[in-house]
Amino acid sequence: MPHDINDRMIPLYEEQVAVTKKAVISDRVRVSTSVEERSVLIEDDLERGGLHVERIAVDRPVHSAPEPRQDGDALIVSIVEERVVIERRLFVVEEVRLTRTSTTEHVAIPETVRVTRATVERADPISPAGSE
């Protein structure tokens, strides 16, 4: 279908919307911090260990070296030596008795503890644009 010169063209228009954003300060706050110090007393129980060593002469013949053994709270370690007799024998010549002791002592240590606190306050309100 050919266009006739008498045909008119009507342009069509369309509106489009563009959205933009702008940051606006609407309110202000003031934050301040302060550090408080206070003394505290730290208390705890401390355990202190000790060792009591007792040497006991025995002089007893044995066929082989005895293993260390426990007798109540004490660990007994036998000390042996070889002696030449008509035959060779082992003799326990001494025992070392190790007894563990323990004491508990209450301690109090003064110490300073710091705490930071924050305070938030509203600042003066912002005036509407143009009225400042």
Side-chain angles (χ1 to χ4, degrees):
M1 198 166 153
H3 288 290
D4 189 331
I5 250 178
N6 294 327
D7 285 345
R8 297 187 109 201
M9 305 241 335
I10 300 174
L12 298 177
Y13 293 98
E14 174 184 349
E15 288 186 344
Q16 293 186 349
V17 177
V19 177
T20 60
K21 296 179 184 180
K22 177 181 172 184
V24 176
I25 297 174
S26 62
D27 203 0
R28 290 184 181 165
V29 294
R30 180 178 298 122
V31 177
S32 59
T33 61
S34 62
V35 176
E36 297 175 6
E37 289 186 356
R38 62 184 165 98
S39 293
V40 295
L41 193 60
I42 300 171
E43 297 185 43
D44 202 356
D45 293 325
L46 300 180
E47 185 174 317
R48 183 171 303 196
L51 192 63
H52 174 72
V53 178
E54 182 183 1
R55 299 175 84 103
I56 302 168
V58 177
D59 204 26
R60 171 181 72 226
V62 291
H63 295 292
S64 62
E67 292 291 323
R69 67 187 189 280
Q70 198 74 35
D71 181 19
D73 289 341
L75 173 66
I76 299 173
V77 179
S78 297
I79 310 298
V80 296
E81 72 178 8
E82 282 185 345
R83 294 182 183 170
V84 178
V85 197
I86 297 179
E87 60 183 302
R88 219 182 270 193
R89 295 185 205 166
L90 290 176
F91 284 79
V92 173
V93 292
E94 181 180 34
E95 288 182 342
V96 177
R97 182 177 292 257
L98 307 170
T99 306
R100 194 180 304 249
T101 60
S102 178
T103 59
T104 300
E105 138 184 30
H106 185 76
V107 296
I109 302 168
E111 187 59 55
T112 301
V113 176
R114 291 183 199 95
V115 177
T116 302
R117 305 238 185 256
T119 305
V120 179
E121 302 170 349
R122 286 216 180 269
D124 295 330
I126 303 296
S127 302
S131 65
E132 281 189 27

